[in-house]
Amino acid sequence: MNQFSEILEVTSPFSLALTAGTLAYFQGRVGADSFENGVYRRALDTDEGMALLSIRELGHVDAPRLELTVSSENLVRSDAQLVVDTCRHMLGAEVNLSTYYDAVTDDPILATASKTLRGLHPPRLPTVFEGLVFAICGQQVSSIVARHIRTLIVGKFGRPMTVDGVIYHSFPSPRRLLDAGLEGLLAVKLSRRKAEYILGIASKAVKGELEIKTLTTLSNEQIVARLDAFRGIGAWSAEWVLLRTIGRQDVFPAGDLALRHILSERYLSGEKVSESEARRFAKRWIPFRGLATAYLFATERLRPRGRSSGKRSP
DNA sequence: AGCCAGGCTCTCG
DNA sequence: CGAGAGCATGGC
C-alpha cells in the first residue's frame, strides 16, 4: 500500500462538512461514502485496482485548504491528476457560491439557508452509471428505503478494499452488476422491474454509451432526451443525473414529490403544488434553480423531523 | 393493518 | 391518448 497527498483547489466559501456530509447523509457510512471525524472517504475503482480517497479540511470555510490522501496498491503520485479531477468534480469544487448567495438575498428562505449552509457545494456522483442506478433506486420509494437499497448494492457488489483494517467498497462497476444478474439484484430488495432497468443501463454502460465527457458537451434538454430514451429512466431520473452527476446549476426537478412538498410548506403555507405550478414558481431562481434545489433539500435534512426514535430495547 | 414514499412502464378504454 | 394498476420495502 502506498500513499500520497495533494491539495485540492476549491472555490471559497467551501465547507467539507456540509458538502461531503450531503453525500454521506452528514455522518457515518452510506453506500460508498463515509464522513467520520471530519474525514470524507470513498473507494474508487481504477484501471488496475482500487484507490481509497480521504479528504480532510485543514483550513476553514472562507479560507479552505483541502488535503486529499490517496491510498492504493497500484497508483503512484504521477497518476494523481485523474483522481484529483474526480474529487473536484465530486465536491463541486469550482462552483461559485457567492454569486448565488447574492442572487437570493431577497428570498427569506434561501437567504437564511445561505447562512446556515454557507459553503455547501452541490456534490456530484462520479459517473453517469452510478447516477442512473441511484435514481432508479430512489424512484417512488421513500428516501429511507432508497438509501437502504443503495447501501446493500454497494456492500454486496462493490469491490472491497481494506485500509488500516477497515473494509471499504467502491460503487459496483457495470460489469459487476451484470454479473450479479437479476437474482443478485432481487436479493438487494429491488423490484423485478428496477432490477431489469439497472441491467439494461449496465449493458449500455459497458458499451461506452454513458461517458460523462460525451454528455457534458450537450445541453440540458439534449441530455434529458438521451437519458429519457433508456428503459426505466423518465424526466425525474434524467434531471437527477443532470443535477447530481453532471452538476448543472439551473435544473429544477419539478416532478419530485419531496421538493414540491418543501415548496408547499415553505412558500405556500401548505397548499398543494402541481408539477407545472412548481416549475412556474421556480422561475424566480433562474439561473440558479439547481443550487436552490440543493439548498432546499439540505435545509430539510437538517430540520429535526419526527420525535425521538428510541428503538433501543428489543 | 393499511397507506404512502424524492417514478416508471405497461395495459386498457 | 389519458387514466390506472402494479411494483418491493420501511415507517408511521
Side-chain angles (χ1 to χ4, degrees):
Chain A
M1 185 77 49
N2 65 61
Q3 280 194 350
F4 58 87
S5 294
E6 300 277 333
I7 294 297
L8 293 174
E9 297 293 326
V10 302
T11 302
S12 175
F14 187 99
S15 162
L16 181 67
L18 291 171
T19 304
T22 299
L23 287 167
Y25 293 81
F26 294 111
Q27 198 61 239
R29 278 174 85 155
V30 175
D33 298 292
S34 82
F35 184 67
E36 291 166 316
N37 303 318
V39 184
Y40 168 70
R41 293 182 219 274
R42 177 181 259 257
L44 284 183
D45 291 336
T46 62
D47 287 344
E48 290 295 329
M50 293 185 71
L52 178 71
L53 317 179
S54 304
I55 303 174
R56 73 190 71 227
E57 174 65 274
L58 303 178
H60 57 87
V61 173
D62 291 292
R65 185 174 168 77
L66 296 188
E67 182 195 61
L68 162 68
T69 300
V70 181
S71 313
S72 173
E73 300 284 0
N74 61 315
L75 278 190
V76 292
R77 185 176 284 268
S78 55
D79 298 326
Q81 195 53 48
L82 187 64
V83 175
V84 168
D85 291 345
T86 301
C87 287
R88 296 190 69 250
H89 177 259
M90 289 188 65
L91 295 174
E94 86 293 354
V95 175
N96 185 335
L97 295 175
S98 300
T99 54
Y100 162 70
Y101 291 157
D102 289 344
V104 297
T105 50
D106 290 337
D107 182 314
I109 309 288
L110 290 182
T112 303
S114 301
K115 295 189 182 104
T116 56
L117 298 166
R118 183 174 171 76
L120 166 65
H121 284 232
R124 305 178 176 114
L125 298 171
T127 67
V128 175
F129 176 65
E130 181 173 341
L132 288 171
V133 172
F134 266 48
I136 290 167
C137 291
Q139 288 171 3
Q140 202 272 335
V141 297
S142 69
S143 58
I144 293 172
V145 172
R147 191 167 82 191
H148 184 216
I149 293 174
R150 290 162 182 164
T151 298
L152 288 175
I153 289 176
V154 170
K156 189 148 184 198
F157 304 119
R159 279 183 74 178
M161 173 187 193
T162 304
V163 178
D164 296 332
V166 181
I167 300 176
Y168 299 89
H169 295 266
S170 60
F171 187 84
S173 64
R175 184 75 260 161
R176 287 179 74 92
L177 289 187
L178 284 176
D179 291 343
L182 201 56
E183 303 75 25
L185 295 181
L186 292 177
V188 292
K189 305 180 178 181
L190 287 159
S191 65
R192 178 168 293 270
R193 259 307 159 67
K194 287 187 177 180
E196 290 168 4
Y197 299 162
I198 289 173
L199 292 176
I201 304 280
S203 65
K204 288 187 185 303
V206 298
K207 288 187 238 162
E209 294 178 35
L210 298 180
E211 292 304 314
I212 192 166
K213 286 192 173 166
T214 312
L215 287 179
T216 46
T217 64
L218 306 175
S219 70
N220 290 348
E221 294 72 20
Q222 288 171 321
I223 296 171
V224 169
R226 182 168 300 195
L227 298 179
D228 190 48
F230 298 165
R231 179 161 182 260
I233 303 302
W236 179 87
S237 301
E239 286 178 341
W240 167 280
V241 170
L242 226 38
L243 284 168
R244 294 292 312 275
T245 300
I246 312 280
R248 293 282 159 92
Q249 283 160 56
D250 192 30
V251 177
F252 191 78
D256 188 298
L257 194 55
L259 182 56
R260 291 217 303 276
H261 192 65
I262 295 170
L263 226 52
S264 148
E265 277 196 346
R266 297 304 192 90
Y267 290 89
L268 302 162
S269 52
E271 205 177 319
K272 289 205 172 186
V273 203
S274 72
E275 177 169 348
S276 56
E277 286 165 347
R279 184 156 282 134
R280 203 173 321 128
F281 188 89
K283 285 189 176 167
R284 69 188 62 193
W285 296 318
I286 293 173
F288 299 110
R289 285 175 289 190
L291 285 168
T293 299
Y295 274 73
L296 288 173
F297 275 129
T299 52
E300 205 61 17
R301 284 235 189 88
L302 285 181
R303 194 144 67 130
R305 297 174 63 84
R307 57 226 102 255
S308 56
S309 56
K311 46 173 182 189
R312 285 297 90 160
S313 45

